Amino acid sequence: KSKTKSYINKSINEFIKNEKPNKVVAEDLTFKTKNKDKLPKKVNRWLSSWLKGYIQERLEYKLSANGAELALVNPAYTSQICRICGCFGNRKGGRFYCETHGVVDADYNASVNVLNRYYDNEITLFTPYKKVKEILISRLGASCKRTGSTKT
């Protein structure tokens, strides 16, 4: 665990040194639940060791120390919609499949969606994922065949 944390800190330092960002837009990936006691013990253990919250905390701290800002956005469906048309597609491994625009790199597709979400006034950080889905479906054009059959 300490090696992983060391690697995270080193990578963030290199990113800041090389890119010199003023602002970084990222998904809010901290895990929050109202019913922690209702989750199985194994799931609670797994979530407590989840490092995404640590990455976010370190990124925020190190950006702040270097005069930059971390802007968090709602992560709901950012990896499940096409960055071009907004239609729901399929993500399989490192590829994203859109019926209209074909196959693209899944991480690139999701990162563009994260950046676009920053400028979306209708979907805030605290918009529930079900409401996010309703908003996204209401924006879909007639050419979209899939309407997102998964929860998140």
Side-chain angles (χ1 to χ4, degrees), residues 62-136:
K62 289 179 178 285
L63 286 170
S64 177
N66 286 280
E69 176 188 351
L70 177 63
L72 298 176
V73 298
N74 190 320
Y77 302 99
T78 55
S79 64
Q80 296 177 31
I81 59 171
C82 176
R83 73 188 191 286
I84 299 167
C85 64
C87 295
F88 284 84
N90 287 313
R91 181 177 180 151
K92 293 181 184 172
R95 312 304 284 161
F96 178 81
Y97 299 86
C98 173
E99 290 185 11
T100 306
H101 296 100
V103 182
V104 295
D105 180 78
D107 291 333
Y108 177 73
N109 183 69
S111 67
V112 172
N113 286 331
V114 169
L115 183 59
N116 290 340
R117 183 68 53 86
Y118 176 72
Y119 296 103
D120 191 329
N121 294 327
E122 199 173 0
I123 301 174
T124 70
L125 183 60
F126 304 104
T127 305
Y129 77 90
K130 288 181 182 179
K131 179 66 176 168
V132 171
K133 186 174 183 179
E134 288 174 17
I135 293 167
L136 294 172

Side-chain angles (χ1 to χ4, degrees), residues 8-66:
I8 289 168
N9 283 297
K10 181 181 175 195
S11 298
I12 292 171
N13 288 337
E14 286 178 17
F15 166 72
I16 291 171
K17 180 182 173 187
N18 295 334
E19 300 297 325
K20 299 173 181 54
N22 293 322
K23 182 182 288 188
V24 173
V25 178
E27 294 176 315
D28 182 9
L29 294 174
T30 53
F31 179 78
K32 300 173 191 114
T33 180
K34 295 176 187 172
N35 302 318
K36 187 176 180 179
D37 297 332
K38 293 185 179 182
L39 294 174
K41 193 176 196 178
K42 184 177 179 180
V43 173
N44 282 328
R45 267 192 241 126
W46 181 76
L47 291 172
S48 69
S49 67
W50 201 32
L51 288 174
K52 289 182 181 178
Y54 178 78
I55 293 170
Q56 184 173 305
E57 182 272 321
R58 297 308 298 163
L59 188 58
E60 186 170 6
Y61 172 77
K62 289 179 178 285
L63 286 170
S64 177
N66 286 280

